[in-house]
Amino acid sequence: MSKTPLLTLEEAQARMVADLEPVTGCEDVRIGDALGRILAAPVTSAIAVPGFDNSAMDGYAFAAALAAGRRSLPVTCRSAAGDRPAVLAPGCACRIFTGAPVPQGADTVVIQEACAEENGTVVLPADWSFGSNIRRRGEDIAEGTEILAGGHRLRAQDIGLLAACGRTQVTVRRRLRVRLLTTGNELREPGSGVLAPGQIYDSNRPMLRALLLRLGVEATTGETLPDAFAATRQGLREAAEDADVIVTTGGVSVGEEDYVKKALEEEGSLSLWRVAIKPGKPVAFGRIGKSLFVGLPGNPVSGFVTFALFVRPLLAALAGEIRRTPPTLMARAAFERKKPDNRREFLRGRLHVAADGIPEITCHRQQSSGALSSTVWADGLVDIPAGAAVEKGQWVRFQPFEGLFD
Ligand code: AMP
Ligand code: MG
């Protein structure tokens, strides 16, 4: 057994991204193709949004000063969305619709439900206030302001905002290339025939590939590496020819059949490999040539959790992404954990609102790192500090999957 002291999660994460330079390549993409891409530079808006004062409601527009003390006004013009701005005669009202330009000379809109229109005259309510129901030019975005920061990962609403500002293209960082390799003599691909005794289907490869694809990474997979030194070395060497990051699963423990760590030490360098978390103690990090290397444990739950804890932040740093720490929340434990673990533990849990209205966490009964069904059942991880027991009713920290993997 190695005597290397265990690193805390934060220490391991910090070491992993220390001195890491983001990839420099950039490309221009159409905004329709930009979902999930990372902005290479801040984006400013060349125009004001809205571009003109417009009505927030269907109603009647008029000049407040000229309507004061009057209950009815002649309706002399009409302004619908898409119309050019009209000019309102003094002391008159304009029939106006949502999104329509406020006519020149008007400064207030009263909603139609509060008015009555008869024979070309609108009867106003007794009370209305100056300037109401108008969306002012530039109130959303002033001309020339920064709308999105460099390093921002584009979501649907960001693409909407880019379009609102008239942008057709943005400059983004190039996609990362990730090579995903699973290891293990026991692994078979689903569809490759009936399992022989001792064999299992490879679940890590499609699962991790899916997590990568969701992040907009170019993910390639190779043949499963056998538990053999020479083949593992060769697999890593080949992967390093092209990949920004090599991710492997399995073979990073200290067992006789664990070759990844040894092969990494021969082909490149190993930076860390034992972290005080459960699941996922054996996590390797290093470099082979120009590629970064992350070796995840083979157990599928461990692979899933350590992907979130290590690979996700690493990809962010390498892609030049400014990623905020995934938000967590506190909830009441509906479970107990009598025996404390000396490692920080991430249990698979589910959040619901209890009968008394308090958010509450239940844990999957099967917390084995091989039992993938717990991750399917769960919607996040319960973060139990090292050495802590949990009593029912105690507050525990919960980390929803969304923030973790996004
Ligand atoms: P290892 O980390 O290689 O010692 O593997 C730990 C456990 O995870 C063993 O039970 C393996 O059979 C299992 N395992 C390793 N790789 C995979 C995989 N790609 N898919 C499913 N299970 C795996
Ligand atoms: Mg193995």
Side-chain angles (χ1 to χ4, degrees):
M1 255 303 197
S2 166
K3 291 282 181 287
T4 332
L6 268 62
L7 298 172
T8 66
L9 177 60
E10 283 79 8
E11 283 167 348
Q13 285 172 329
R15 284 195 194 186
M16 207 165 207
V17 298
D19 309 323
L20 207 67
E21 290 292 330
V23 295
T24 49
C26 294
E27 58 178 321
D28 289 341
V29 294
R30 300 176 64 84
I31 62 165
D33 301 321
L35 184 67
R37 302 300 299 271
I38 292 147
L39 286 175
V43 177
T44 55
S45 178
I47 61 168
V49 181
F52 51 91
D53 290 358
N54 68 92
S55 182
M57 302 292 278
D58 289 351
Y60 295 86
F62 53 86
L66 302 179
R70 295 174 60 188
R71 284 303 300 277
S72 65
L73 302 172
V75 180
T76 57
C77 74
R78 190 175 187 277
S79 180
D83 287 352
R84 288 174 174 280
V87 178
L88 184 62
C92 296
C94 175
R95 179 72 171 116
I96 197 162
F97 300 93
T98 306
V102 174
Q104 206 183 311
D107 55 23
T108 298
V109 170
V110 172
I111 63 169
Q112 63 186 18
E113 291 81 353
C115 301
E117 188 180 341
E118 237 174 68
N119 303 324
T121 299
V122 60
V123 180
L124 300 175
D127 61 329
W128 47 264
S129 53
F130 168 73
S132 56
N133 299 310
I134 294 179
R135 303 189 286 217
R136 300 287 168 193
R137 176 176 198 278
E139 74 171 26
D140 187 3
I141 294 153
E143 206 171 318
T145 51
E146 181 176 315
I147 53 166
L148 293 166
H152 181 70
R153 187 155 179 272
L154 293 169
R155 305 159 301 167
Q157 60 268 47
D158 306 319
I159 290 169
L161 190 65
L162 287 164
C165 297
R167 294 287 298 233
T168 55
Q169 300 207 120
V170 280
T171 307
V172 295
R173 302 261 190 178
R174 73 163 173 82
R175 286 183 198 279
L176 297 180
R177 290 185 294 272
V178 177
R179 180 77 162 167
L180 179 62
L181 296 169
T182 52
T183 73
N185 288 346
E186 73 280 32
L187 300 180
R188 291 283 295 271
E189 197 170 341
S192 68
V194 181
L195 294 177
Q199 294 185 331
I200 61 169
Y201 290 121
D202 182 343
S203 47
N204 286 345
R205 187 196 325 210
M207 174 176 69
L208 299 177
R209 183 168 178 272
L211 290 173
L212 289 167
L213 293 182
R214 236 173 124 234
L215 294 171
V217 160
E218 268 175 34
T220 59
T221 58
E223 292 284 309
T224 296
L225 298 177
D227 293 317
F229 186 54
T232 305
R233 277 189 71 171
Q234 191 186 335
L236 295 185
R237 201 180 317 132
E238 282 170 10
E241 282 166 17
D242 184 47
D244 298 305
V245 185
I246 303 165
V247 177
T248 64
T249 74
V252 282
S253 298
V254 285
E256 269 169 43
E257 293 294 328
D258 295 320
Y259 294 100
V260 171
K261 186 176 157 271
K262 293 171 210 156
L264 180 64
E265 279 164 337
E266 289 300 320
E267 292 297 324
S269 60
L270 177 80
S271 296
L272 70 95
W273 76 285
R274 296 171 83 233
V275 188
I277 55 166
K278 188 180 174 182
K281 182 171 68 172
V283 176
F285 176 64
R287 281 179 185 272
I288 307 172
K290 287 203 209 72
S291 306
L292 294 172
F293 172 91
V294 189
L296 305 179
N299 274 311
V301 177
S302 309
F304 185 70
V305 171
T306 51
F307 182 94
L309 300 180
F310 298 104
V311 180
R312 180 65 190 95
L314 179 74
L315 295 177
L318 196 60
E321 177 185 359
I322 310 295
R323 180 176 179 247
R324 71 174 183 150
T325 307
T328 58
L329 57 95
M330 298 302 285
R332 189 171 62 196
F335 64 94
E336 60 182 11
R337 194 99 176 141
K338 285 239 150 69
K339 215 177 108 224
D341 199 285
N342 59 1
R343 286 180 276 162
R344 178 169 168 187
E345 204 171 357
F346 292 96
L347 303 173
R348 273 69 68 210
R350 207 184 228 194
L351 183 69
H352 65 276
V353 177
D356 61 1
I358 304 291
E360 201 172 64
I361 304 285
T362 40
C363 274
H364 197 263
R365 63 185 159 70
Q366 176 53 271
Q367 293 289 337
S368 153
S369 58
L372 208 44
S373 54
S374 68
T375 61
V376 171
W377 175 88
D379 39 35
L381 300 176
V382 195
D383 183 351
I384 314 277
V390 179
E391 303 281 348
K392 247 191 194 157
Q394 189 183 321
W395 290 93
V396 287
R397 189 167 292 284
F398 185 70
Q399 171 77 74
F401 283 149
E402 282 77 29
L404 261 186
F405 291 97
D406 289 342

